[in-house]
């Protein structure tokens, strides 16, 4: 099953990458590619994965959210003072719910933050990435999130410390143009992989990374080298507790999912409209396969946009502190008894 999931994910990534050229009239940037991945990519991923998982008695729900803005991580650089790079362009989460024969339910979650960057044959423009974004992803200093959600909902105040633990961030390196390795009629594993997830180690390059399709498929498994970081579902009310292992990452992932879901509810059936105060446009796509009761409740909080248009909705000026939303790729799986990923 694993090989089939990897192949299906690669097909979806490859499909979304080429779709970005269509929707952008041939000159896609990071925004175009994220939009394509969270809409067309999600649709294709469902087409590829649903029959594979169904054959094992597993249900699937896929949620893709595209948002123009991202939260800013406010931290103090040791030499250059206060900085506020993006926390990430895309949050990828896998959540699995297993119900044993006795009715006991176990829900596991893994997440990764992805900072998208265009590259040419594996190398970013100018040979490097933003130095303060790179410092954040390489060292994860204590930082704050200061944005807010719809209404008066805000991120919890206080410093967040993701250390110690598995790095929660990756660079999503996207090839700028088709080149000799990209053959549109060849199988996806022969297409030179247009998206690569690379660790934040200098220099940031596609070399040494993992293609996005394989990375996403591997997030479904407890492997020796975990893709993404375990994120426990924190108790409510949420709090940034001190001295609790992994707590700050758990809470941050939950906040990002919850606040983004609230935005999809607010903007339901407003495909090309913004709110009265200039809120940025957001688009949500969701599709379920199998028995919904076998899945966790996280995806239920999102409302699919009634979006019939093509292309990215126009961006409009937003309030400076309205940076809570983040583009999301949420994969939920679930099964009963012996129905599991293997």
């Amino acid at each position: 099953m694993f090989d089939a999931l990897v192949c299906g994910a690669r097909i979806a990534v490859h499909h979304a990458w080429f779709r970005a050229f269509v929707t952008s009239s041939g000159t896609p940037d990071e925004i175009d590619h994220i939009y394509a991945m969270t809409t067309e990519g999600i649709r294709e991923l469902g087409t590829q994965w649903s029959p594979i998982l169904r054959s094992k008695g597993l249900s699937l729900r896929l949620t893709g959210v595209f948002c123009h803005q991202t939260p800013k991580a406010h931290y103090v650089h040791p030499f250059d003072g206060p900085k506020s790079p993006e926390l990430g362009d895309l949050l990828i989460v896998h959540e699995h719910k297993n119900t044993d024969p006795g009715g006991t339910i176990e829900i596991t979650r893994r997440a990764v933050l992805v900072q998208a960057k265009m590259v040419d044959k594996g190398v970013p423009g100018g040979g490097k990435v933003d130095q303060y974004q790179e410092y954040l992803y390489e060292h994860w200093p204590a930082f704050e999130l200061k944005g807010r959600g719809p209404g008066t909902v805000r991120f919890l105040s206080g410093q967040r410390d993701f250390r110690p633990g598995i790095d929660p961030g990756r660079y999503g390196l996207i090839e700028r143009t088709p080149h000799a390795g990209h053959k549109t009629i060849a199988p996806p594993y022969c297409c030179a992989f247009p998206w690569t997830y690379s660790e934040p180690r200098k220099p940031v390059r596609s070399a040494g990374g993992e293609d996005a399709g394989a990375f996403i498929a591997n997030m479904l498994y407890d492997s020796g080298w975990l893709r993404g970081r375990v994120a426990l579902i924190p108790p409510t009310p949420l709090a940034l507790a001190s001295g609790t292992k992994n707590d700050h990452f758990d809470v941050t992932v939950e906040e990002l999912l919850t606040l983004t879901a609230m935005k999809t509810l607010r903007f339901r059936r407003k495909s090309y409209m913004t709110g009265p105060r200039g809120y940025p446009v957001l688009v949500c796509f969701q599709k379920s396969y199998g028995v919904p009761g076998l899945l966790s409740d996280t995806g239920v909080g999102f409302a699919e946009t009634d979006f019939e248009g093509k292309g990215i909705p126009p961006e409009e000026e937003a309030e400076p502190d309205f940076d809570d939303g983040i583009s999301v790729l949420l994969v939920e799986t679930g099964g009963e008894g012996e129905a599991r990923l293997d």
Side-chain angles (χ1 to χ4, degrees), residues 19 22-24 32 35 66 271-272 283 307-314:
R19 285 294 302 171
V22 176
T23 58
S24 66
D32 296 296
Y35 176 79
F66 168 78
S271 56
Y272 280 95
V283 174
F307 182 61
E308 301 297 335
K310 297 186 181 298
I312 302 175

Side-chain angles (χ1 to χ4, degrees), residues 37 54 108 156 162 180 183 209 266 282 306 327:
M37 190 65 234
R54 188 185 305 115
T108 56
L156 294 174
F162 287 176
K183 300 177 181 178
R266 185 179 183 89
L282 178 142
D306 183 13
S327 294

Side-chain angles (χ1 to χ4, degrees), residues 134-150:
E134 186 176 28
Y135 185 88
L136 174 69
Y137 271 38
E138 188 172 357
H139 299 283
W140 286 106
F143 66 94
E144 290 184 82
L145 296 177
K146 298 181 179 181
R148 65 173 176 78

Side-chain angles (χ1 to χ4, degrees), residues 1-336:
M1 181 168 70
F2 171 72
D3 288 347
L5 291 174
V6 172
C7 186
R10 285 172 170 168
I11 290 173
V13 171
H14 184 256
H15 173 76
W17 186 78
F18 272 104
R19 285 294 302 171
F21 285 85
V22 176
T23 58
S24 66
S25 300
T27 56
D29 58 12
E30 292 93 342
I31 293 175
D32 296 296
H33 282 290
I34 291 171
Y35 176 79
M37 190 65 234
T38 54
T39 52
E40 296 296 335
I42 283 288
R43 290 185 178 94
E44 185 62 33
L45 189 63
T47 299
Q48 296 293 328
W49 275 10
S50 57
I52 301 169
L53 295 174
R54 188 185 305 115
S55 70
K56 296 292 185 178
L58 295 166
S59 294
L60 171 70
R61 179 165 57 225
L62 296 169
T63 305
V65 178
F66 168 78
C67 183
H68 275 299
Q69 289 187 289
T70 68
K72 308 299 189 297
H74 300 260
Y75 73 91
V76 178
H77 190 274
F79 303 111
D80 299 335
K83 299 297 174 186
S84 54
E86 293 179 346
L87 180 63
D89 290 309
L90 178 66
L91 174 68
I92 304 178
V93 178
H94 170 239
E95 206 165 279
H96 182 74
K97 176 182 175 182
N98 182 69
T99 307
D100 70 17
T104 301
I105 295 174
E106 180 185 19
I107 299 176
T108 56
R109 175 187 285 177
R110 194 172 297 139
V112 64
L113 291 159
V114 178
Q115 179 66 31
K117 185 71 176 177
M118 302 303 298
V119 297
D120 185 19
K121 298 182 180 178
V123 180
K128 59 184 179 181
V129 296
D130 179 83
Q131 61 175 321
Y132 302 117
Q133 173 76 48
E134 186 176 28
Y135 185 88
L136 174 69
Y137 271 38
E138 188 172 357
H139 299 283
W140 286 106
F143 66 94
E144 290 184 82
L145 296 177
K146 298 181 179 181
R148 65 173 176 78
T152 60
V153 180
R154 291 180 177 271
F155 281 113
L156 294 174
S157 62
Q159 295 283 314
R160 297 163 190 259
D161 193 345
F162 287 176
R163 301 165 296 180
I166 296 173
D167 286 339
R170 289 289 186 275
Y171 276 97
L173 304 180
I174 311 166
E175 285 294 335
R176 189 177 301 278
T177 58
H179 50 73
H182 295 119
K183 300 177 181 178
T184 58
I185 60 172
Y189 39 79
C190 300
C191 292
F193 307 124
W195 272 74
T196 302
Y197 289 167
S198 295
E199 294 186 354
R201 298 290 183 267
K202 296 179 180 178
V204 174
R205 300 285 189 272
S206 293
E210 182 176 21
D211 74 89
F215 188 98
I216 293 169
N218 270 301
M219 283 188 72
L220 275 61
Y221 291 87
D222 292 322
S223 56
W225 172 42
L226 292 179
R227 276 63 162 193
R229 177 165 161 173
V230 172
L232 303 178
I233 300 176
T236 54
L238 298 178
L240 292 172
S242 59
T244 305
K245 183 180 180 182
N246 210 48
D247 174 76
H248 291 189
F249 184 66
D250 301 340
V251 171
T252 300
V253 171
E254 181 69 17
E255 283 186 294
L256 289 170
L257 287 172
T258 303
L259 291 178
T260 303
M262 289 177 65
K263 289 182 68 176
T264 67
L265 292 171
R266 185 179 183 89
F267 288 100
R268 191 176 187 180
R269 285 187 286 275
K270 294 185 180 180
S271 56
Y272 280 95
M273 297 171 61
T274 57
R277 299 170 67 184
Y279 298 144
V281 172
L282 178 142
V283 174
C284 176
F285 170 80
Q286 187 177 85
K287 183 70 174 179
S288 297
Y289 308 85
V291 182
L294 297 179
L295 300 167
S296 63
D297 294 331
T298 302
V300 177
F302 294 82
E304 185 176 5
T305 308
D306 183 13
F307 182 61
E308 301 297 335
K310 297 186 181 298
I312 302 175
E315 184 173 9
E316 293 195 11
E317 191 69 22
E319 295 180 18
D321 66 345
F322 194 80
D323 60 357
D324 63 286
I326 190 169
S327 294
V328 170
L329 197 165
L330 172 63
V331 178
E332 295 169 281
T333 55
E336 290 182 305

